[in-house]
Each structure stands twice: as C-alpha cells, then as structure tokens.
Amino acid sequence: MANRLAEPAEPFVQEVTRVVGGVWGRHASRAYNWVNPATVAVGLGTIVWLLAIVRQIPCRRVPGVAVNDFYAQCYSDIPVLFVHRGLMDGYTPLLDAGAYPVLEYPALTGWLMELNRLVTGWLGAPVGPGLSDVDQASATNLFVAVNMVVLFVLWLITIFAQLGATRGRGWDALMLAASPCVVLTGLIN
C-alpha cells in the first residue's frame, strides 16, 4: 500500500508549498524542527513588543524637558497614573488615596500597579513625597520600565494561551503575535 501525503486543500496553500518545495515526502527530514508555531509566535510577539517599547522612547521623562505625549504619539497612562494617583508618593492604590483622586481601575489592576510600585522601590527608585525633578523623572522612568517587563510577560502568556486554545492550528496564533495593534496600543494603559 502506497504512503500518500495529502496535498493542502486550499489553492493558495498549494501554490505556496509548490514555491517552497512542495509537500513533505516520506523520506524528508525535518532538519529545522525548531521552526514551529510556538517559537515563531513567541519570536514575532517579542519583536512586536520591542517595537511597542521603541515607540515609547520619545515619551521618556527628562528633568526640565516638557514632552507633549500626544504630539509625539506615544501617550501612556502608566507614567501619568504613577504621578497623579499617588503611587510616586508611596500611596497604595484603592486603600489610601491621600490628596489624590481614588483609582478608577478594577481591583486586580490596582494590585498589579501596587506590585509594580513595590518592585520599582526595590530596584532603588526614590519613592515618597517631596522628590526633586530628577528623582521624579528617574522613578517614573523605572516604573514604566517595570510595567513594560510585567506587561511583556502577560503578553507572552496571552500568546501561549492562544496557542493552547487552537490545538492543531498553531499558526493561527501568528495573527495575535504579529498584531500591529499591540505596537500601537500595548503600552497606552
């Protein structure tokens, strides 16, 4: 009995597989078995996230330099909430607001902000009332960097969740991993 390998059903896929060598034969070896949906999706997701970070560079806080975040097209709520909701002064979101408006975000988001504030302090950022402009800029930039790392981990978890949700169709995760929406909005809020 002959071992038949099925041709891809869609005409576009048939054409693409012809261009790159056709369907895998019975004696073909997969020398590049590391090229699978998970590695490609994580690689693309990482590149997309790095582009989102590069997009935020014009909005880094520099003492004595006013940046119009909207004009630079890199606005983010992350540094704004750090300064204007009391996180920089050491207040815990949802528990004590001091002279600041109460945080309007869900509880889990507030606790994630508190965790990021604590990590920022552990990394040496000055936190507390009465900071100089240099200390405020330094603390804000470090808080944004900590959020970028934490949100990147959550982004990877989202990609792996997509891979797990589409068993047998792993390449579908590339639609998520390569999304330009993440570059444009991944660090807004």
Side-chain angles (χ1 to χ4, degrees), residues 19-34:
V19 170
V20 295
V23 178
W24 283 92
R26 165 171 69 134
H27 299 290
S29 70
R30 295 184 184 263
Y32 300 105
N33 61 358
W34 58 270

Side-chain angles (χ1 to χ4, degrees), residues 30-46:
R30 295 184 184 263
Y32 300 105
N33 61 358
W34 58 270
V35 178
N36 59 51
T39 56
V40 173
V42 168
L44 273 173
T46 301

Side-chain angles (χ1 to χ4, degrees), residues 15-145:
E15 192 58 38
V16 170
T17 56
R18 275 198 232 356
V19 170
V20 295
V23 178
W24 283 92
R26 165 171 69 134
H27 299 290
S29 70
R30 295 184 184 263
Y32 300 105
N33 61 358
W34 58 270
V35 178
N36 59 51
T39 56
V40 173
V42 168
L44 273 173
T46 301
I47 291 168
V48 163
W49 194 256
L50 289 173
L51 289 172
I53 290 173
V54 167
R55 197 174 158 277
Q56 290 301 114
I57 289 174
C59 285
R60 273 186 62 82
R61 301 303 188 243
V62 178
V65 176
V67 175
N68 184 337
D69 296 352
F70 296 107
Y71 181 75
Q73 296 183 4
C74 56
Y75 175 79
S76 174
D77 275 347
I78 296 169
V80 173
L81 291 171
F82 183 65
V83 174
H84 297 293
R85 289 297 192 270
L87 292 165
M88 185 167 56
D89 288 343
Y91 292 116
T92 301
L94 305 172
L95 291 183
D96 47 35
Y100 297 97
V102 176
L103 189 68
E104 68 275 13
Y105 290 88
L108 189 58
T109 304
W111 289 112
L112 182 64
M113 291 169 66
E114 173 64 9
L115 174 68
N116 292 343
R117 182 188 69 84
L118 291 173
V119 170
T120 301
W122 293 332
L123 291 175
V127 176
L131 297 176
S132 68
D133 287 346
V134 173
D135 287 342
Q136 285 182 9
S138 173
T140 303
N141 288 335
L142 186 56
F143 181 75
V144 170

